[in-house]
Amino acid sequence: MFEKSLKNTILINIGAFLLVLILELLSGWMIADRYDTPFSFFLWGFKYAINIMAVIWINHFVLIPYFFDKKRYFIYGLLLIGSIFLVAYLEAYANNNWAGVTKTSLFHFYTTGTGMAAFFLRRNMIIQRENAEKEKLQKEMELTYLKEQVNPHFLFNSLNSIYSLSREQSPETPDLVMQLSELMRYQLESSKKEFVLLKEEIEFVENYLLLEEKRLSKRCTVEFLIKGDLSGLMIAPMLLIPFVENAVKHGAQSTNEQSTIDISVSIKNNTLHFCVVNSKPHKVSSLKRIGLGLENVRRRLNLLYPNSHILKIADKEKKYHVNLSIDLAVSKFKKAVND
């Protein structure tokens, strides 16, 4: 990384020197006939380019890092003015008077100011790029952490369901274990991807509901409605399941009363509208309603779809409503960029 940065710095400064040299030669083209040969004219332009770049290099590589960046502004100003006058004196006093030194100094103030503007602009762009890379890395690390948290949370809830059936010695327990293994296989495979097909994610949610429905069928009615074309749309994996788990855990699973879970999925203009409504038991637990799963999914939504989602949760007297809208065109764009 250091070698690459050094190489870039050298190439940029060589390019800047050549640009200044060309500008000097073009600006003096009208007086080229004053010189005996084209080579002597070129040497004149080369000398002036060296003098201009000397002040710029002293400023960039010595004065700015050792004085300006350390907030020693007064000393920095004195040394910068002194270096400009010194170079102007060496350049102009041998052939001119003090008026020539003053004129040359003013010219060097202009060129040094232009060089400083270019220097700080480039440095600001580098800092912004580095900050953007750091932010992206931090975001990826946080998303990975949140995604890894979903795995044990989902497994814990699913195992609880199978454990309840095993205690009842239900003959469906082996089939449910196999069904859970299929769900876990999908989860492990999808966790390696940034985006998955929305159709596959919805099928995963359906299969999870089928698993829970076998255990809760006697006291829970589940409705699952899908409208619109799901084909070709992508979504971040394991983003919808926490809302469904929450409906099961805090609705049907928390009471022996008859309960309902209504889930609807609709697609309009690449926008997913996901709605989950579950009935609430008469005796509401004193525990906090929003669990780890929903906290994680809130954070993932803010990271993955910061300006492209709307999440509304309404905790009413008899019903718990979750309405989520996501612009899935963002997923398409991100996947295209990453590919």
Side-chain angles (χ1 to χ4, degrees):
M1 180 65 76
F2 174 76
E3 292 179 356
K4 183 179 179 181
S5 177
L6 179 61
K7 182 180 179 181
N8 289 339
T9 301
I10 292 173
L11 290 175
I12 288 172
N13 281 276
I14 290 175
F17 174 78
L18 292 176
L19 178 62
V20 170
L21 175 59
I22 292 171
L23 291 175
E24 282 298 313
L25 294 174
L26 290 175
S27 65
W29 193 259
M30 299 298 294
I31 60 171
D33 55 352
R34 297 182 185 179
Y35 296 88
D36 297 333
T37 64
F39 182 71
S40 60
F41 171 67
F42 175 80
L43 287 179
W44 167 83
F46 188 82
K47 181 191 74 171
Y48 269 86
I50 286 289
N51 290 333
I52 291 171
M53 293 305 298
V55 178
I56 292 176
W57 285 333
I58 291 171
N59 186 35
H60 287 189
F61 299 112
V62 179
L63 300 183
I64 289 178
Y66 291 101
F67 298 96
F68 184 87
D69 288 343
K70 295 182 179 180
K71 299 183 179 180
R72 300 164 69 179
Y73 301 125
F74 181 73
I75 297 177
Y76 167 77
L78 288 179
L79 292 175
L80 178 61
I81 294 171
S83 63
I84 289 174
F85 274 108
L86 176 61
V87 172
Y89 176 82
L90 295 174
E91 179 181 341
Y93 190 73
N95 300 319
N96 300 290
N97 51 23
W98 281 105
V101 173
T102 303
K103 184 178 179 181
T104 305
S105 298
L106 292 175
F107 176 72
H108 278 301
F109 272 113
Y110 168 75
T111 55
T112 303
T114 304
M116 286 181 66
F119 172 82
F120 284 113
L121 178 62
R122 179 174 178 268
R123 187 163 74 169
N124 186 56
M125 291 174 63
I126 292 173
I127 292 173
Q128 286 184 344
R129 185 171 65 248
E130 290 176 348
N131 289 339
E133 290 175 354
K134 290 178 182 178
E135 185 177 348
K136 182 181 178 182
L137 180 61
Q138 180 64 31
K139 182 177 177 180
E140 290 175 351
M141 291 174 62
E142 187 171 356
L143 282 171
T144 300
Y145 170 73
L146 292 171
K147 192 185 292 184
E148 288 175 350
Q149 277 193 320
V150 172
N151 291 336
H153 186 266
F154 171 78
L155 180 61
F156 175 76
N157 288 342
S158 300
L159 287 176
N160 270 346
S161 299
I162 295 177
Y163 174 71
S164 299
L165 287 174
S166 66
R167 291 193 62 183
E168 298 172 5
Q169 297 183 349
S170 171
E172 294 183 336
T173 302
D175 294 334
L176 293 179
V177 171
M178 288 300 298
Q179 193 172 346
L180 175 61
S181 69
E182 291 299 321
L183 291 173
M184 292 306 299
R185 179 181 290 109
Y186 170 79
Q187 189 186 38
L188 291 172
E189 290 176 354
S190 65
S191 65
K192 301 173 185 177
K193 304 174 184 178
E194 187 175 3
F195 297 102
V196 296
L197 289 172
L198 176 61
K199 183 179 179 181
E200 294 179 352
E201 190 72 6
I202 296 300
E203 287 176 356
F204 173 78
V205 172
E206 284 185 290
N207 290 332
Y208 171 76
L209 280 173
L210 288 173
L211 185 150
E212 289 292 343
E213 197 173 14
K214 288 179 181 178
R215 181 172 65 90
L216 302 171
S217 57
K218 295 180 181 179
R219 50 189 173 86
C220 180
T221 303
V222 178
E223 294 288 340
F224 199 106
L225 180 63
I226 301 175
K227 291 182 179 180
D229 185 10
L230 307 181
S231 59
L233 295 176
M234 310 289 291
I235 191 172
M238 306 300 294
L239 201 59
L240 305 179
I241 193 65
F243 298 112
V244 181
E245 288 182 291
N246 193 71
V248 173
K249 181 178 179 181
H250 296 285
Q253 191 173 307
S254 62
T255 181
N256 291 322
E257 304 169 6
Q258 192 66 30
S259 59
T260 60
I261 298 176
D262 297 322
I263 300 174
S264 64
V265 177
S266 63
I267 301 295
K268 294 181 181 178
N269 300 323
N270 288 329
T271 299
L272 167 68
H273 299 280
F274 184 70
C275 179
V276 181
V277 180
N278 65 272
S279 59
K280 291 172 57 178
H282 292 120
K283 294 182 179 180
V284 181
S285 172
S286 60
L287 296 176
K288 191 177 180 181
R289 184 71 167 86
I290 304 297
L292 176 65
L294 288 190
E295 289 298 329
N296 281 355
V297 80
R298 281 182 188 274
R299 185 59 184 153
R300 287 185 70 201
L301 282 167
N302 289 331
L303 289 169
L304 290 165
Y305 304 96
N307 301 309
S308 305
H309 83 278
I310 299 174
L311 175 61
K312 295 181 179 179
I313 297 179
D315 193 353
K316 299 182 179 181
E317 183 179 354
K318 296 182 179 181
K319 299 280 186 178
Y320 191 79
H321 293 254
V322 174
N323 285 284
L324 172 65
S325 298
I326 306 176
D327 183 2
L328 297 181
V330 176
S331 300
K332 281 187 176 181
F333 174 75
K334 287 183 178 180
K335 190 175 187 301
V337 170
N338 292 334
D339 292 344

